[in-house]
Structure formats: structure tokens, C-alpha cells
Amino acid sequence: MPGILRQLSSLGGCTHPIRLAGHRTEHNLDTTTGEIGPALRRLDSADLPAGDLLVRCGNRRTTRCAACAETYRRDTFHLITAGLRGGKGTPEEVTTHPRVFATFTAPSFGPVHNRPGARSCRCGRRHAADDPALGTPLNPERYDYESAVLWNAHAGMLWRRFTIHLRREIARRAGLTQRELPERARVSFAKVAEYQKRGAVHFHAVIRLDGPAGGDTPPPHWASAELLTDAIRAATSRAVVPGPVLDGRTHTFAFGTQLDIRTIHGTDLDGGQALTDRAVAAYIAKYATKGAETATGTLDHRLRFVAELATLDLSQHAERLIRTAWALGARKDLAHLRLRAWAHMLGFRGHFSTKTRRYSTTLGALRNARAAWRRLQAAIARGDDPQPVDSEQTTLVLAHWTYAGTGLTPTEQWLSASLADTSAPTTAALEGATTHG
């Protein structure tokens, strides 16, 4: 019993771990002669209490695994924060660079119920904040479901087109050519996609103006938040992606008219009025773990057959969006959009969170720092010296693992649930490893 509890506690609350069968052996390796010494340690899945090696699933969706999604959210928070206030390889001087927080929305595909609270909706009545009618069309028969799905499918391409125009607009305002701009300034950003209740994707982005080498170099004298804001507005209006021609109807995609751009101020609160680094990072990280399922009540997994929808409890609006994506996915001229594979995402197949290379650290670097911290703690627990004693000696790891399944047995689930009350210190320690790693 103590052994299985230790193995389950190492998952940090993951409810759908990956089960691996195999072995892992560590040997001393002489780097000068290449001689492999005897085995130092051997790990065999058959000897583990669960009978398999259990590895965290790492799913970012809250609906699939709350524990792993929380780790992903915290990593995203630290990634965004590092690009706003420095740290983890990013200089603190980025706090003096022009920075804005921008929200890009989708255009209208038809009127929807969209006014919760004290104000009356277009339908003439007032909606509670949790009213399921919010986001649904006033007239479903006149709602443009085809354009709504195709918008989601082209949203990633539209963002790319926007970034191209943004650099052009900045160069124009600085009196530079497009070729000269990289020698004077660089645009760094991090963005996340969010689903509105109506099922349309929109983007939240932190956009920063740096020197030519990114955050390590100061921006040019002409760089300002006002110039960046003006360039974003112009680039948004110019970004257009041509879409397919379906049944004689030509689709063209652009951002909606609702564009919100706000300057990011310092790290401290300013009477609740200023948009701070922490507020922006927390807002973006929150949506990094959510998909269409949290906004529209749709699915968090792929469909194999459209007939599955009959067995699911979905709203009429969400089901119609999925069916529209499934039907469009059958067209050969839209095969490149892979709409059937992404019908559960209402057509959107892009990455939820992306960033430029020079914005800040990476999620991979944060994971590696956390893994190194875990290895150090394991070595200390074994009584090993974490510091190498011989520079000519290193460790050779020989491993072979095969996939054995996913999830916990009923008994393991019960034991894992019994550890829930004691998992908070482990989670806090992992966040501390990410923060200081």
C-alpha cells in the first residue's frame, strides 16, 4: 500500500496517466575510453506497485485533466509574465519597452443573445449571466453557420496575415523600408485563442516593440505605445484572407470591427485602473486551458462518426456548428482544412497559444526545469550526491518503453482520490520549481 500511494502521489493528481511497460537501466560511462560499467540502477515496470510506469497525461484541457491543465496554466502564466517583467532569461528592461494588450474578434454571422445583466437583450428580455441562451442566434435559420465554421478554419491564417501587415505599418510610421525594419526594431508577441459563447474564435495578444535583437536590446527612440497601437489598428483593417467559393458564394475573411487595444503599465496595481503585467498574464493563462467545450458546450475530443451526436447532450447551436463543419469537410475543395478532424473544435485547427521566439522563455524550457528539479529531489531522497564527483564519468541510460494503456484502475482511482487533500503541497512545490527553475 505505501508503494502504490507513493507512485500515485508522483502524478500530482493526474486522472488519466499514460501507462508504459518496459525497463530503464543506468550505467556509469567513462567518457575517455567509452567503457560501460555495471548497472547502477534498474527500473522495471513489472516491479512497480501499479504494474506499469505511470506518466502524467499532460493534457491542457481542464475538462480532460484538471491537474495537468493547472500545470499548463501556470507555465503559460510564467511564460507571459517573463515577457512582461523579465526573468527566465529575459531581461527586466522589457518593462520599459512599448507593450499593449489587444483583443481581436470575429465578425458577425447573425444577431445573437449577447447581453447578460441588467440591460435588455435584443430579444426584449434580460438574461442571467449563466443563461444557456447567451451566444445562441436570435433566428437560427438565418444565422450564417457556414461562414462561422470557415472563419474559425481561417483564423490562424488571418493572424499570420495581420503580423505581416503589422511590421509593414510600423516600418511606414518609422520612415523605414520593410528591409530596414529588422535592423532597427523587432515585434515580439504572445497570443492565445478564446472561444466566444457563439462559437467564434477570437485572439488575445501581448504585443511588444523591441530593439533588433529582441528584449535584450532597447527599442529605437521613435518606438512608443501610441505608434504601436496605431500600427495595430491599421494592420487589422488591412488583414484579409481570401476564402473558398462555395455554390457561387465567395468567402473573404477579416477581423471584426470590435478591436480593443490597451497599453500595459507597470507591475503594481494603480487603483484598479491600470492594466498591469500580472492581470494580463493571468487573463491569458486562464484561456490557455479552455477550448470550445467550455464556451459553447461542445466536445473536447474528436468525432469518429457524426451519428455520435445523437447520443450527446449538446445545445442545438453547438450541434449545428459541428454538423456544418462535418458537412463541409466532405467537400474535396475544402480537404486542406480538415474540417471533419476538427469538427469538435468548430473548424479551428490552430495552436491555442503561440509566441515569437524572442518574446520570452518556452514551455519546453519550463518543463525541463521542473523535470531537473524532480530528478534532484529524487536523488536527494535516495541519498545520492547530486553533484558529479568525476568529470570523466557520466551516466548512460538505456531504456525501452511501450504503450500499455491510459487511465487508472478503479482501485487506483479510489486511492488517487484519497490523496486529493494532500496533493496541494506537491502542486505548490511544482509551481515553485517552475518559478525558480
Side-chain angles (χ1 to χ4, degrees), residues 200-390:
V201 168
H202 66 194
F203 297 121
H204 302 291
V206 174
I207 304 177
R208 195 181 69 210
L209 199 52
D210 301 326
D216 295 322
T217 51
H221 65 88
W222 46 261
S224 66
E226 291 74 18
L227 181 144
L228 182 57
T229 299
D230 188 50
I232 291 173
R233 293 191 183 280
T236 303
S237 64
R238 293 179 181 274
V240 177
V241 171
V245 179
L246 303 181
D247 303 324
R249 179 187 178 188
T250 301
H251 289 274
T252 303
F253 303 103
F255 285 114
T257 56
Q258 294 183 351
L259 173 65
D260 182 43
I261 308 173
R262 289 186 284 173
T263 302
I264 301 174
H265 297 276
T267 59
D268 300 324
L269 292 175
D270 184 17
Q273 301 298 318
L275 188 65
T276 64
D277 297 349
R278 184 177 181 83
V280 171
Y283 189 82
I284 291 181
K286 176 178 66 173
Y287 290 109
T289 61
K290 298 181 179 181
E293 69 280 356
T294 57
T296 64
T298 182
L299 308 175
D300 60 2
H301 60 275
R302 291 187 177 183
L303 282 173
R304 296 181 60 190
F305 308 100
V306 72
E308 296 177 38
L309 295 176
T311 64
L312 301 174
D313 184 19
L314 300 178
S315 67
Q316 293 183 357
H317 181 57
E319 181 175 346
R320 191 158 178 179
L321 284 167
I322 294 174
R323 289 187 179 276
T324 301
W326 191 270
L328 291 173
R331 299 181 62 112
K332 292 183 178 180
D333 53 343
L334 299 179
H336 63 288
L337 298 178
R338 303 181 62 216
L339 290 173
R340 286 197 168 181
W342 298 100
H344 66 295
M345 298 290 288
L346 312 182
F348 179 69
R349 66 188 194 282
H351 292 289
F352 260 78
S353 58
T354 60
K355 73 175 192 67
T356 54
R357 182 172 299 179
R358 299 294 182 91
Y359 174 79
S360 69
T361 186
T362 64
L363 291 175
L366 296 176
R367 296 188 189 104
N368 291 338
R370 185 164 53 250
W373 182 83
R374 287 174 175 167
R375 288 193 296 269
L376 177 62
Q377 298 304 308
I380 294 175
R382 291 194 303 265
D384 297 343
D385 185 357
Q387 300 297 327
V389 298
D390 188 352

Side-chain angles (χ1 to χ4, degrees), residues 52 57 76 107 152 162 208 268 272 350 367 423:
D52 294 308
C57 67
T76 302
N152 286 342
F162 159 76
R208 195 181 69 210
D268 300 324
R367 296 188 189 104
S423 62

